Amino acid sequence: DGESNESDGAFNLSNFWDTLNQAVKAVSQEATKLSLAFSKPPLPSQQDGEKLSESTLKSVLTLSTVYYWLPKSQGVTLRRQVRDATVEVLEGVTQLVEVILSTPLQSLSQEQLTSTGSVWSACDQFAQLPRDNKAAVLVALLAQIGVVKDAIEEIEQALAEVQDPFSDVLDDDQDGDEPRGNQDTYWSEKDRRVIGPCQGLMKASAACLRKLTSAVKTNGDVSTPQNVAQLDDLADITCEISPGVDDLALCLYPPMDYSGVENNVRQTHTHTPYLLKLTWVQFLDGAVSHNLQKARDLIQEDS
């Protein structure tokens, strides 16, 4: 989380990636050498062990140093994804060393083999990292779309599966004042009416994210610091949408939390119009406002 090494000179992004990939390859090679050296008896000599330790340490410090070359002016979103990938490699090496230290040296244990493979896997991920901030923002947007899509599909599946076990019995036919069955396990008719506009709001959010993704693909630009910063702003605001949609979906499950639904509807509505203005999607803006008001009206019904 430290500050990047900003400089007054022009930053060579291509050179950064070449050097970073070399550093990652070196870490992978050192992890392999370390694991093989402690895979079977006899133990390496003290001198050989010190050399292995020093070369492994040098490789991870080099990787960390190269990561810090990437200035925030190249994009906070890009830097965050490179940072997360770097941390995963360092944590993998740490785990490998801990396994070697804690495992008796008899033969290559499954745990050591798994830890070595984890380092390789973390290093291999660098080949798939986005190469600039536009690509990094697209990765972030696609991840948010996936979360929202999952929330929508889960609610649709639950609606298809959850049935009122007493749906064919009218409330007026019940004897006494006791409610029928366990109403915590199914939706009432009012619940289902509330779910409708909430689904509409969730789908409008998903459509907004898709439109924004398309706009970034077509018009995203990283040629100036201002454009890079704007892309970061887009990524930050979209990261607020999917948790809100996910929380809204959770509140819809029986027994429905009307207060939670209203709060999360409001939260989702707060972030979505800002993105709509950025992408000029007036139709979706109307859909968001319509479903917001409809959800509020139904929640207040009979209250």
Side-chain angles (χ1 to χ4, degrees):
D1 292 321
E3 292 297 317
S4 58
N5 294 332
E6 298 279 2
S7 63
D8 295 331
F11 181 79
N12 190 322
L13 191 59
S14 177
N15 180 64
F16 165 78
W17 282 111
D18 288 343
T19 309
L20 185 69
N21 287 331
Q22 291 172 12
V24 170
K25 183 178 179 181
V27 173
S28 181
Q29 291 172 343
E30 290 299 327
T32 302
K33 286 163 54 180
L34 187 67
S35 187
L36 286 173
F38 289 90
S39 62
K40 59 184 179 180
L43 280 169
S45 66
Q46 182 174 345
Q47 183 178 13
D48 289 341
E50 288 174 354
K51 287 181 179 179
L52 281 169
S53 176
E54 289 171 1
S55 59
T56 302
L57 180 60
K58 180 181 178 181
S59 72
V60 297
L61 290 177
T62 299
L63 176 60
S64 301
T65 300
V66 175
Y67 155 68
Y68 278 116
W69 287 1
L70 183 62
K72 292 181 179 179
S73 59
Q74 291 294 317
V76 174
T77 307
L78 174 64
R79 193 168 189 268
R80 187 181 297 128
Q81 292 179 24
V82 176
R83 178 200 64 192
D84 291 347
T86 303
V87 168
E88 188 172 350
V89 171
L90 301 184
E91 288 179 343
V93 174
T94 301
Q95 182 185 42
L96 173 60
V97 173
E98 289 174 345
V99 167
I100 290 173
L101 290 172
S102 62
T103 305
L105 185 61
Q106 297 174 347
S107 61
L108 183 62
S109 68
Q110 183 60 46
E111 190 177 7
Q112 183 174 334
L113 190 61
T114 300
S115 297
T116 307
S118 295
V119 176
W120 293 341
S121 178
C123 291
D124 289 344
Q125 288 182 16
F126 276 74
Q128 279 73 50
L129 284 176
R131 275 354 194 209
D132 60 30
N133 207 46
K134 175 182 175 179
V137 170
L138 286 172
V139 168
L141 284 169
L142 290 173
Q144 299 305 311
I145 290 173
V147 173
V148 173
K149 181 182 177 183
D150 287 346
I152 293 171
E153 290 177 349
E154 286 171 7
I155 286 296
E156 290 176 344
Q157 183 178 357
L159 281 169
E161 293 177 352
V162 176
Q163 298 293 329
D164 179 348
F166 299 95
S167 59
D168 57 339
V169 181
L170 297 176
D171 285 329
D172 294 342
D173 294 338
Q174 300 299 302
D175 294 329
D177 297 327
E178 291 298 320
R180 67 179 194 266
N182 181 5
Q183 295 190 21
D184 287 354
T185 63
Y186 62 87
W187 281 298
S188 67
E189 189 58 37
K190 178 182 176 181
D191 291 344
R192 288 178 177 271
R193 293 200 304 271
V194 170
I195 288 173
C198 290
Q199 282 182 292
L201 184 61
M202 294 162 69
K203 289 178 179 179
S205 297
C208 175
L209 289 171
R210 289 195 297 271
K211 287 289 185 180
L212 180 59
T213 301
S214 178
V216 171
K217 282 182 179 178
T218 304
N219 303 310
D221 178 58
V222 293
S223 62
T224 68
Q226 292 81 5
N227 290 340
V228 170
Q230 185 183 44
L231 286 170
D232 283 328
D233 290 341
L234 289 175
D236 288 342
I237 193 68
T238 55
C239 286
E240 300 292 336
I241 291 181
S242 62
V245 170
D246 205 34
D247 290 342
L248 173 58
L250 290 174
C251 291
L252 294 175
Y253 284 95
M256 185 177 288
D257 176 8
Y258 289 134
S259 175
V261 170
E262 186 165 10
N263 287 337
N264 283 294
V265 162
R266 188 185 306 113
Q267 185 75 9
T268 302
H269 178 262
T270 298
H271 297 296
T272 308
Y274 174 72
L275 288 180
L276 296 177
K277 291 175 184 177
L278 292 174
T279 49
W280 305 283
V281 190
Q282 295 181 356
F283 172 77
L284 289 175
D285 194 5
V288 169
S289 298
H290 169 74
N291 285 295
L292 168 70
Q293 189 58 50
K294 192 171 180 181
R296 283 176 171 172
D297 291 345
L298 287 167
I299 290 170
Q300 296 300 323
E301 190 177 284
D302 301 328
S303 297

